[in-house]
Amino acid sequence: MKDWFQAWLPRLVLGPGFLLILFFVYGFIIYTGYLSVSDSKMLPSYGFVGLDNYERLWQLRHWTGSLKNLAIFGALYIVICSVLGLFLAIMLDQKIRAEGLLRPIYLYPMALSFIVTGTAWKWFLDPGIGLEHTMHQWGWESFEFNWIKSRTHAIYTVVIAAVWQSSGFVMAMFLAGLRGVDPDIIRAAEIDGASRVRIYRRIIIPLMRPVFLSAFVVLAHLAIKSYDLVVALTGGGPGKATELPATFMYSYTFSRNLMGIGASSAIIMLIMIFSIIVPYLYAELRADPRR
Amino acid sequence: MNKLSARKFTVWRFALYVVLFVFAIYYLLPLYVMLANSFKPLSEIRQGDMMALPQVWTLDPWRSAWSTAQIGVQATGLKPYFYNSISMVVPAVLLSTLLGALNGYVLTKWRFRGDGVVFGLILLSCFIPFQIVLIPMAKMLGVLGLAGTTTGLVLVHLVYGLGFTTLFFRNYYAAFPTELVRAAQIDGARFFRIFWRILLPSSGPIIVVTVIWQFTNIWNDFLFGASFADADSVPMTVALNNLVSSSTGVKEYNVHFAGAVLAALPTLIVYVVSGRYFVRGLMAGAVKG
């Protein structure tokens, strides 16, 4: 009896946590999945309506617009963070004296809440009081920077604030990657007379492929989840110029009381994230020697 | 090295340092602007430029943000919300770390058939967009009688933090020599004794990493707080957003900044004190395996 207990104890210990996740994550996904094919409005309701919600979702300019915004935001966010992160990492990897001071400065925004970041940048970018106003004070009267008030350009201000927050993190990922490069390879190339630039372009940067992949996966899933920053920075506006799927889901579910449509938009978000993350995790776990 | 290339070398080094320090300014500027303007009277913000240090230093915005500013319907300042956040964060961090440690221990040292699938499902749960659980969670908290309570938020953060804490401990314990566990077993030590006496004493670094990661994430959370909190459980981030975006009256930018810095302070302090562990957590969260 006692041996039986000891043999099952590990599973009993793992059980509660795992059951919590099964229920609150996977059970909830199934529930939301069902709501997305139901006639739920203000409250959950279980009348089956097939794919009606999805059809209506794709006819909403609000939704297609927020997807378009996500495409612009996500693409710029990922590309700029990766390029800037790699650039800063290479610069920092040149035996810099002040590295211990600079690295934490580049990275600290990652410790802040997006609400704090949004509050700071909202004001910074506000033409009436922030950067534009300051430039006028300094005598540059013709300076103009009012993207945050512009329907066509506001989405780029979200990119600016998000890049500020995350690029240091990507830098840290690349720096760890650069420090892992075998110095013998570089020494051999130097002996062959290759220039510094050439060594980076031909040898080191290609070796960073796994880091590029990790950075892409992390940034892409952060972009799809982006919610707080938009709420704090622009509130989705002006108009609907900076609405993203995450803010769309929230407003359709809780403000407009169209829960079925809100649920279907959440399912689309889940599909987007899983189609990036599942293959990645699968490859990572299979390559893991400990498994 | 001849003279010409030595000079070329120093010019290149100099340019390198300039670029690096320009970027340091870029990252520091928003924080500096927030801090500098939080000490200015409102009139000075309106006319003056945002880069300048205050001409008249005042602590009033800080006092106002902490204890008298209008948030929602009440003029309580951020103080009660700060305590709300604390009483939500502390139990959520401790519980999720403890459960994560036990999970990691079982998944690496007491392997069983199908543990790979279990770990895969736990790991995948880290990455779901939380929009997918908002509706059922709101309903479930109502069923449990936890709607709008701090306990409810603790439960939410425990569940959705468990994936990461399990991942951290699992990866850490995977590198811990299994022979030691087997040897202790032969000596007659049982499941909890082994955990308590052998693994836990050498888990210091990963506990720090996990606690910092969880603290930062839960403190900074906005979505769950905005969705599930009631008047007396609203966390700091949501209160800050209410303060900043309230449309009534004059916009007191200096108070907003003081509030923003107050909301950022706990995680910033943790970052400054133990940045090394913070980075390790980020890396462990980003690069799996």
Side-chain angles (χ1 to χ4, degrees):
Chain A
M1 187 66 199
K2 220 174 167 198
D3 285 347
W4 178 87
F5 178 73
Q6 279 297 325
W8 276 86
L9 191 56
R11 266 163 276 195
L12 287 175
V13 168
L14 187 65
F18 182 59
L19 286 180
L20 278 180
I21 286 179
L22 269 190
F23 182 77
F24 283 94
V25 175
Y26 298 101
F28 280 10
I29 288 174
I30 293 167
Y31 183 84
T32 303
Y34 186 74
L35 287 185
S36 77
V37 291
S38 75
D39 56 357
S40 304
K41 294 273 190 293
M42 196 174 106
L43 293 167
S45 121
Y46 304 108
F48 181 74
V49 295
L51 293 176
D52 281 11
N53 288 321
Y54 290 92
E55 273 167 33
R56 285 178 59 194
L57 178 70
W58 287 98
Q59 282 159 9
L60 289 169
R61 291 252 313 270
H62 192 161
W63 170 250
T64 49
S66 65
L67 279 182
K68 215 192 274 168
N69 287 337
L70 176 62
I72 297 172
F73 167 70
L76 288 172
Y77 174 63
I78 294 169
V79 169
I80 298 175
C81 276
S82 304
V83 170
L84 192 60
L86 178 63
F87 173 76
L88 287 175
I90 291 177
M91 293 284 140
L92 263 188
D93 201 28
Q94 307 302 316
K95 301 190 175 63
I96 293 297
R97 212 175 271 250
E99 191 197 318
L101 174 73
L102 290 168
R103 212 181 33 202
I105 290 177
Y106 293 171
L107 199 59
Y108 88 91
M110 202 63 194
L112 301 180
S113 149
F114 272 118
I115 303 294
V116 173
T117 303
T119 305
W121 282 93
K122 178 189 192 165
W123 188 79
F124 207 78
L125 297 168
D126 186 327
I129 194 136
L131 188 64
E132 185 179 302
H133 184 67
T134 302
M135 286 303 166
H136 292 177
Q137 294 284 318
W138 287 2
W140 186 357
E141 297 286 342
S142 60
F143 182 84
E144 236 184 76
F145 193 69
N146 52 8
W147 286 6
I148 201 163
K149 303 275 181 208
S150 143
R151 273 168 187 275
T152 48
H153 286 68
I155 190 70
Y156 301 111
T157 64
V158 184
V159 177
I160 293 174
V163 165
W164 179 80
Q165 174 125 352
S166 317
S167 48
F169 168 45
V170 183
M171 179 279 298
M173 289 174 78
F174 276 113
L175 195 57
L178 290 173
R179 297 278 150 88
V181 173
D182 182 0
D184 287 345
I185 302 177
I186 299 169
R187 220 165 291 141
E190 274 170 348
I191 291 167
D192 287 347
S195 72
R196 211 73 198 130
V197 176
R198 208 177 148 80
I199 291 175
Y200 270 103
R201 266 189 44 198
R202 289 298 173 84
I203 301 173
I204 298 179
I205 294 178
L207 280 174
M208 292 297 108
R209 260 180 66 171
V211 187
F212 275 109
L213 181 64
S214 298
F216 170 80
V217 170
V218 171
L219 293 170
H221 115 272
L222 284 179
I224 298 170
K225 281 183 173 180
S226 287
Y227 174 75
D228 323 11
L229 182 62
V230 173
V231 169
L233 188 69
T234 62
K240 296 187 176 61
T242 51
E243 288 279 355
L244 293 178
T247 58
F248 173 94
M249 186 275 167
Y250 200 89
S251 72
Y252 265 74
T253 307
F254 297 111
S255 321
R256 297 181 186 225
N257 295 329
L258 289 165
M259 196 173 271
I261 291 182
S264 61
S265 68
I267 294 289
I268 306 273
M269 287 176 67
L270 182 79
I271 293 171
M272 287 196 280
I273 288 190
F274 274 15
S275 59
I276 295 169
I277 216 103
V278 171
Y280 176 73
L281 290 184
Y282 186 70
E284 288 273 329
L285 286 181
R286 279 195 51 176
D288 187 345
R290 288 189 299 260
R291 280 278 111 195
Chain B
M1 204 180 275
N2 64 38
K3 235 180 186 168
L4 188 74
S5 78
R7 186 179 303 153
K8 198 177 145 198
F9 186 69
T10 39
V11 169
W12 153 238
R13 294 293 289 182
F14 182 74
L16 185 64
Y17 275 95
V18 169
V19 169
L20 286 171
F21 276 97
V22 166
F23 272 100
I25 291 170
Y26 161 71
Y27 287 110
L28 284 175
L29 205 58
L31 187 66
Y32 165 78
V33 168
M34 275 199 291
L35 273 174
N37 288 285
S38 71
F39 289 104
K40 287 178 192 172
L42 197 54
S43 56
E44 206 180 309
I45 293 186
R46 287 238 189 71
Q47 327 142 359
D49 71 76
M50 62 177 182
M51 306 292 187
L53 282 171
Q55 290 160 334
V56 188
W57 289 76
T58 169
L59 278 173
D60 288 346
W62 287 80
R63 269 185 221 115
S64 168
W66 181 246
S67 55
T68 61
Q70 181 94 16
I71 292 167
V73 284
Q74 285 172 315
T76 56
L78 289 167
K79 189 165 70 177
Y81 306 102
F82 193 87
Y83 293 126
N84 284 348
S85 272
I86 297 274
S87 55
M88 167 185 82
V89 167
V90 172
V93 169
L94 294 182
L95 284 173
S96 61
T97 305
L98 179 70
L99 273 180
L102 286 169
N103 287 350
Y105 171 51
V106 172
L107 286 171
T108 52
K109 302 303 170 212
W110 299 87
R111 307 217 12 212
F112 53 89
R113 252 148 78 83
D115 62 352
V117 177
V118 169
F119 178 61
L121 285 173
I122 294 177
L123 185 57
L124 189 59
S125 79
C126 298
F127 300 98
I128 57 162
F130 292 128
Q131 278 73 18
I132 201 93
V133 298
L134 287 183
I135 305 168
M137 192 47 133
K139 202 174 150 80
M140 183 49 64
L141 288 174
V143 170
L144 294 172
L146 295 174
T149 63
T150 300
T151 316
L153 285 175
V154 170
L155 174 70
V156 172
H157 285 298
L158 166 65
V159 170
Y160 300 113
L162 207 50
F164 274 111
T165 60
T166 302
L167 167 69
F168 289 168
F169 280 99
R170 181 257 181 198
N171 286 355
Y172 188 79
Y173 288 153
F176 188 90
T178 306
E179 299 76 47
L180 287 181
V181 176
R182 297 291 164 253
Q185 256 183 310
I186 291 164
D187 289 347
R190 295 274 171 82
F191 181 82
F192 280 113
R193 200 179 159 77
I194 294 172
F195 179 64
W196 195 249
R197 288 297 180 80
I198 299 178
L199 276 104
L200 216 49
S202 61
S203 304
I206 199 64
I207 292 175
V208 178
V209 167
T210 310
V211 165
I212 290 176
W213 170 272
Q214 284 296 89
F215 176 80
T216 311
N217 273 334
I218 300 175
W219 184 276
N220 287 342
D221 162 72
F222 177 76
L223 182 64
F224 288 141
S227 308
F228 304 133
D230 248 353
D232 51 356
S233 59
V234 165
M236 194 69 174
T237 46
V238 179
L240 172 66
N241 190 51
N242 291 346
L243 170 71
V244 172
S245 58
S246 72
S247 48
T248 48
V250 193
K251 280 213 181 295
E252 297 183 293
Y253 295 105
N254 47 1
V255 177
H256 298 176
F257 289 138
V261 177
L262 282 172
L265 213 50
T267 51
L268 268 185
I269 290 173
V270 167
Y271 176 69
V272 170
V273 173
S274 50
R276 205 158 49 88
Y277 291 100
F278 177 77
V279 177
R280 269 180 61 178
L282 281 177
M283 292 305 173
V287 192
K288 268 129 261 108

